[in-house]
């Protein structure tokens, strides 16, 4: 018996040892400017490969898939490889985490690998592989509208990325966002990036406006605008050509910065500054408008204090009206209708006061003043409103104030039969005595529940056994689910080129597995074409399917626009839909 157990153990170990999935790297120590090759190798035809996140690295190529199979002395060997080329983004020790793959409904994982990244090293370049440098063909510039504004005078910062006609750009990422300390700032939305042409350093360049920001300095002196830094993917042409005579383009990475900018902010002049000046800078109009001036007893009026024009609309306070004691004034409701563009803020702000008179009579609201600094003339200006007279035509007079508080006044008098009206007459009380659980309906229901569940459990178990035996059907269902899953994933990644085409390729492959009942190793061009035609698929649809799957690998590294990606997605949906109808 002991020998049988040992024999079974050895057989199990040998079967497990036959399946291998491991990660291999070209080197474990490399410079910051060197590339790293990573291969994920499996000796079986696994599916649904999931790459690690590659934190600390940038994927510059991959995944590329290779499948090889050979027979030597009657023994077969199989190998599937997923390859990546990585560029380190930082120095130190970086861990390549686990990748996973599925085989026979089992998940296999690689062992994490630690990579040491050192300072950049000197690299020898092949003299036949010269290429244009990105250093002299790519610039990030911050254009500032004015370098010496007053406090609260608007200035704009426009960030432009200039690049020559010799290179191409596919993507960029913000490494450091600009910081505007001691500025009030607002970004202007750029709905769509538009390529333009312009002169830079005396030469013709293409450029893209990446960011527009309006700034209002809040204090005088030298204020620093911290730089915007970008990490950019560029395509650099070489002097080599491929077999079709096309110029070979190398993918590279370039980091650029707009540089810090210093703004010399001038203080507002003290000479002629009004005592009521609250910081308004620009060109304004000031109004005080009552909703009515003649009122009856019990009525109210709205007094609107407003400023309109161009300037720092959100950065100053409106003056507050002064009214007689006989007018009761409530806290204002503030309203802003302000637009911000490259010229600065413009629009209207207002405070609306609700005023209720207490007595009959005529009550003046004193003139109000609003002062601002006019950038056009460089002087302070003051606008004064007119006096407003409020006429309350009826109601008690001020001399009747004592009489108005007598008990005979019914305004604030509450009758005795209404003084307890707020108390609820009906209650929703719950008995403190709880019903015994033993012998209740809940008790008998829980007691019989296990016996009632037995038939359902038996039916469920038989159904599950029948489904488990249908290996062929389960594989078709799984591949159908995977095709839908990856097609949905491709739609989510439609703005990210490489993940989109990876998901799209997986969707197409899993669709074939579900419809043709084949494995990954059988997916050759001729085999796919023969099987689809034998299933009554249209010849043009078959050609379109094969062409699209072959282009998925190339499209990940070629330059393509969002329109091209959307076109490929729509084409994939249409092809799959046509094959669903045609395959019998």
């Amino acid at each position: 018996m002991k020998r049988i157990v040992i024999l079974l153990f050895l057989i199990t170990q040998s079967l497990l040892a036959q399946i291998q999935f491991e990660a291999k790297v070209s080197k474990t120590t490399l410079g910051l400017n060197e590339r790293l090759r990573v291969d994920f190798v499996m000796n079986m035809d696994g599916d649904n490969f999931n790459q690690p996140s590659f934190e600390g690295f940038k994927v510059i190529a991959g995944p590329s898939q290779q499948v090889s199979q050979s027979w030597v002395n009657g023994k077969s060997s199989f190998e599937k490889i997923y390859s990546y080329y990585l560029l380190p983004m930082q120095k130190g020790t970086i861990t390549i985490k686990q990748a996973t793959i599925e085989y026979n409904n089992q998940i296999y994982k690689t062992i994490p690998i630690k990579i040491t990244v050192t300072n950049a090293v000197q690299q020898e370049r092949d003299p036949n592989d010269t290429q244009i440098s990105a250093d002299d063909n790519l610039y990030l510039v911050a254009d500032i509208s004015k370098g010496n504004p007053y406090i609260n005078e608007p200035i704009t910062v426009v960030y432009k990325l200039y690049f020559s006609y010799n290179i191409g750009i596919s993507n960029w990422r913000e490494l450091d966002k600009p910081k505007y300390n001691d500025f009030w700032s607002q970004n202007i939305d750029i709905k769509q990036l538009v390529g333009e042409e312009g002169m830079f350093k005396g030469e013709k360049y293409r450029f893209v406006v990446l960011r527009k920001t309006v700034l209002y300095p809040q204090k005088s002196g030298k204020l620093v605008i911290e730089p915007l830094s970008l990490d950019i993917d560029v395509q650099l042409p070489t002097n080599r050509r491929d077999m079709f005579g096309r110029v070979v383009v190398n993918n590279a990475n370039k980091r650029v910065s707009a540089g810090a900018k210093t703004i010399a902010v001038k203080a507002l002049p003290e000479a002629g500054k009004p005592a009521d000046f609250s910081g308004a800078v620009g060109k304004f109009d000031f109004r005080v408008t009552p909703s009515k001036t003649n009122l009856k007893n019990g009525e109210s009026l709205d007094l609107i204090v407003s400023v309109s024009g161009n300037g720092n609309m959100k950065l100053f306070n409106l003056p507050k009206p002064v009214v007689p004691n006989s007018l009761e004034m409530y806290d204002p409701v503030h309203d802003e209708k302000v637009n911000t563009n490259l010229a600065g803020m413009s629009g209207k702000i207002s405070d609306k006061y609700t005023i209720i008179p207490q007595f009959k009579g005529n009550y003046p609201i004193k003139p109000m003043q609003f002062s601002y600094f006019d950038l056009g003339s460089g002087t302070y200006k003051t606008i004064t409103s007119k006096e407003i007279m409020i006429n309350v035509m009826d109601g008690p007079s001020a001399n009747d104030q004592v009489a108005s508080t007598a008990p005979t006044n019914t305004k604030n008098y509450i009758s005795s039969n209404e003084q307890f009206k707020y108390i609820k007459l009906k209650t929703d009380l719950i008995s403190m005595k709880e019903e015994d659980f033993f012998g209740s309906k809940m008790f008998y229901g829980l007691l019989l529940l296990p016996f009632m569940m037995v038939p359902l459990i038996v039916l469920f178990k038989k159904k599950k056994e029948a489904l488990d035996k249908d290996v062929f059907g389960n594989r078709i269902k799984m591949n159908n689910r995977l095709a839908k899953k990856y097609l949905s994933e491709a739609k989510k990644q439609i703005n990210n080129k490489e993940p989109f085409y990876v998901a799209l390729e997986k969707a197409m492959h899993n669709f074939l597995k579900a419809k043709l009942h084949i494995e990954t190793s059988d997916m050759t061009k001729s085999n796919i074409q023969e099987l689809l035609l034998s299933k009554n698929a249209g010849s043009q649809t078959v050609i379109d399917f094969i062409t699209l799957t072959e282009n998925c690998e190339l499209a990940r590294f070629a330059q393509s626009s969002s329109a091209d990606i959307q076109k490929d997605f729509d084409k994939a949906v249409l092809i799959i839909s046509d094959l669903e109808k045609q395959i019998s």
Side-chain angles (χ1 to χ4, degrees):
M1 182 67 182
K2 184 176 180 181
R3 292 180 179 178
I4 295 175
V5 172
I6 294 174
L7 181 61
L8 291 174
F9 176 77
L10 293 175
I11 292 173
T12 303
Q13 289 295 103
S14 63
L15 289 174
L16 292 175
Q18 290 178 359
I19 302 176
Q20 296 179 356
F21 181 50
E22 58 183 342
K24 299 179 180 179
V25 294
S26 58
K27 57 180 73 176
T28 56
T29 301
L30 70 158
L32 190 61
N33 58 334
E34 290 185 300
R35 296 183 179 185
L36 176 70
R37 174 169 175 165
V38 183
D39 294 328
F40 298 97
V41 185
M42 189 179 196
N43 63 342
M44 295 293 178
D45 190 10
D47 286 316
N48 304 323
F49 169 76
N50 289 311
Q51 68 185 47
S53 60
F54 294 122
E55 295 180 6
F57 290 95
K58 177 186 173 184
V59 179
I60 57 178
S64 61
Q65 180 178 331
Q66 302 175 26
V67 177
S68 61
Q69 191 168 6
S70 61
W71 286 265
V72 179
N73 296 327
K75 293 183 179 180
S76 65
S77 64
F78 180 89
E79 192 173 59
K80 177 183 280 189
I81 304 175
Y82 295 89
S83 300
Y84 294 83
Y85 285 91
L86 310 178
L87 185 68
M89 305 296 289
Q90 62 192 42
K91 293 188 295 183
T93 301
I94 307 176
T95 301
I96 298 177
K97 298 182 179 179
Q98 291 178 321
T100 63
I101 198 168
E102 184 177 344
Y103 179 73
N104 283 345
N105 296 324
Q106 295 290 328
I107 302 298
Y108 295 88
K109 300 180 180 180
T110 61
I111 298 175
I113 300 177
K114 291 185 178 181
I115 305 297
T116 302
V117 182
T118 63
N119 292 325
V121 298
Q122 185 70 31
Q123 293 178 314
E124 295 182 1
R125 177 178 293 180
D126 186 349
N128 297 320
D129 190 27
T130 59
Q131 65 180 27
I132 295 174
S133 172
D135 296 338
D136 301 325
N137 293 275
L138 188 65
Y139 300 93
L140 180 62
V141 177
D143 287 339
I144 298 178
S145 60
K146 193 171 185 178
N148 58 337
Y150 282 105
I151 291 179
N152 275 318
E153 179 180 358
I155 62 173
T156 59
V157 182
V158 179
Y159 294 92
K160 298 179 181 179
L161 181 64
Y162 286 90
F163 52 101
S164 71
Y165 290 86
N166 297 325
I167 66 174
I169 293 177
S170 59
N171 191 23
W172 57 79
R173 294 160 296 278
E174 289 188 357
L175 297 176
D176 294 313
K177 294 185 178 181
K179 296 179 181 179
Y180 309 109
N181 298 325
D182 300 317
F183 289 93
W184 182 94
S185 63
Q186 181 167 332
N187 291 327
I188 306 298
D189 290 335
I190 299 177
K191 296 182 180 179
Q192 184 176 3
L193 296 177
V194 179
E196 303 178 53
E197 293 184 348
M199 299 300 295
F200 182 73
K201 292 189 174 183
E203 297 182 7
K204 205 170 186 179
Y205 274 77
R206 294 173 293 172
F207 71 90
V208 178
V209 176
L210 302 180
R211 182 191 287 260
K212 299 178 182 178
T213 306
V214 177
L215 304 177
Y216 284 85
Q218 297 300 292
K219 72 176 185 179
S220 60
K222 293 184 177 181
L223 305 183
V224 177
I225 300 175
E226 296 187 13
L228 169 67
S229 298
L230 302 177
D231 181 49
I232 303 176
D233 297 335
V234 295
Q235 288 80 46
L236 304 175
T238 68
N239 65 346
R240 295 184 293 116
R241 295 183 179 272
D242 60 14
M243 59 183 297
F244 300 104
R246 296 173 299 191
V247 175
V248 175
V249 176
N250 286 342
N251 294 316
N253 178 263
K254 176 66 177 176
R255 298 179 180 182
V256 293
S257 174
K261 301 293 181 181
T262 302
I263 308 298
V265 182
K266 297 181 291 187
L268 297 176
E270 293 295 328
K273 180 184 291 187
D276 61 347
F277 177 71
S278 62
V281 177
K283 184 71 175 179
F284 303 103
D285 183 27
F286 175 65
R287 293 175 182 265
V288 180
T289 309
S291 59
K292 61 180 79 173
T293 55
N294 296 316
L295 290 83
K296 295 181 181 180
N297 182 33
E299 291 184 333
S300 64
L301 68 92
D302 291 331
L303 186 68
I304 301 176
V305 181
S306 64
V307 169
S308 59
N310 301 312
N312 58 333
M313 304 291 293
K314 299 180 181 181
L315 303 176
F316 59 82
N317 296 320
L318 294 172
K320 186 175 181 180
V322 178
V323 299
N325 293 332
S326 296
L327 299 180
E328 185 175 357
M329 184 172 69
Y330 292 86
D331 291 335
V333 175
H334 186 72
D335 182 50
E336 292 182 355
K337 296 179 180 177
V338 180
N339 297 319
T340 305
N341 52 36
L342 286 180
M345 288 185 277
S346 63
K348 180 180 179 180
I349 60 173
S350 61
D351 286 339
K352 182 170 73 173
Y353 296 85
T354 298
I355 298 177
I356 302 176
Q358 301 296 311
F359 306 106
K360 176 182 178 181
N362 295 323
Y363 303 98
I365 297 178
K366 295 180 180 180
M368 300 173 62
Q369 290 185 337
F370 173 72
S371 300
Y372 67 93
F373 182 75
D374 184 12
L375 292 171
S377 62
T379 59
Y380 293 96
K381 293 187 177 181
T382 300
I383 303 174
T384 304
S385 66
K386 296 181 180 179
E387 183 180 79
I388 299 172
M389 185 64 68
I390 305 300
N391 178 25
V392 184
M393 295 181 288
D394 56 6
S397 63
N399 296 329
D400 298 332
Q401 181 177 5
V402 177
S404 66
T405 60
T408 57
N409 182 11
T410 60
K411 183 176 180 181
N412 296 319
Y413 179 74
I414 302 175
S415 61
S416 59
N417 61 345
E418 294 182 345
Q419 59 183 333
F420 298 109
K421 190 175 181 179
Y422 64 91
I423 299 178
K424 293 179 64 177
L425 300 179
K426 295 182 179 180
T427 62
D428 298 322
L429 300 178
I430 300 175
S431 176
M432 295 179 61
K433 184 179 179 181
E434 295 183 358
E435 183 182 358
D436 290 338
F437 176 71
F438 182 77
S440 65
K441 293 180 179 179
M442 178 68 74
F443 171 78
Y444 288 111
L446 295 176
L447 184 64
L448 296 175
L449 183 61
F451 300 98
M452 296 171 63
M453 291 292 293
V454 170
L456 296 176
I457 294 173
V458 173
L459 290 175
F460 176 77
K461 185 176 181 182
K462 289 184 177 180
K463 183 69 175 176
K464 185 176 184 302
E465 289 175 352
L467 291 175
D468 291 342
K469 291 179 181 178
D470 187 10
V471 178
F472 186 73
N474 288 337
R475 181 174 298 176
I476 293 176
K477 291 178 182 178
M478 183 181 69
N479 289 330
N480 270 325
R481 287 196 301 269
L482 290 173
K484 293 178 181 179
K485 170 188 172 183
Y486 289 120
L487 198 58
S488 174
E489 179 66 21
K491 187 174 183 180
K492 293 178 183 178
Q493 299 290 347
I494 204 162
N495 294 322
N496 300 317
K497 183 178 64 177
E498 290 189 19
F500 167 80
Y501 281 108
V502 170
L504 186 63
E505 187 177 11
K506 288 183 178 180
M508 304 291 279
H509 283 177
N510 281 289
F511 174 77
L512 274 186
K513 291 179 184 179
K515 295 301 177 184
L516 302 181
H517 319 315
I518 60 176
E519 297 298 330
T520 303
S521 58
D522 298 327
M523 287 188 183
T524 63
K525 179 179 177 181
S526 58
N527 195 25
I528 291 172
Q529 187 172 5
E530 181 181 348
L531 288 173
L532 286 175
L533 292 175
S534 66
K535 295 286 186 178
N536 296 326
S539 58
Q540 186 58 46
T541 306
V542 173
I543 294 172
D544 292 341
F545 184 92
I546 294 174
T547 302
L548 182 58
T549 54
E550 290 177 344
N551 287 343
C552 283
E553 177 68 24
L554 299 175
R556 293 204 296 268
F557 312 109
Q559 297 185 26
S560 58
S561 63
S562 58
D564 296 331
I565 295 175
Q566 182 65 51
K567 184 178 179 181
D568 287 342
F569 178 79
D570 295 338
K571 186 186 295 183
V573 174
L574 180 61
I575 292 172
I576 290 176
S577 177
D578 290 342
L579 289 176
E580 284 278 9
K581 299 174 184 176
Q582 297 169 4
I583 294 177
S584 58

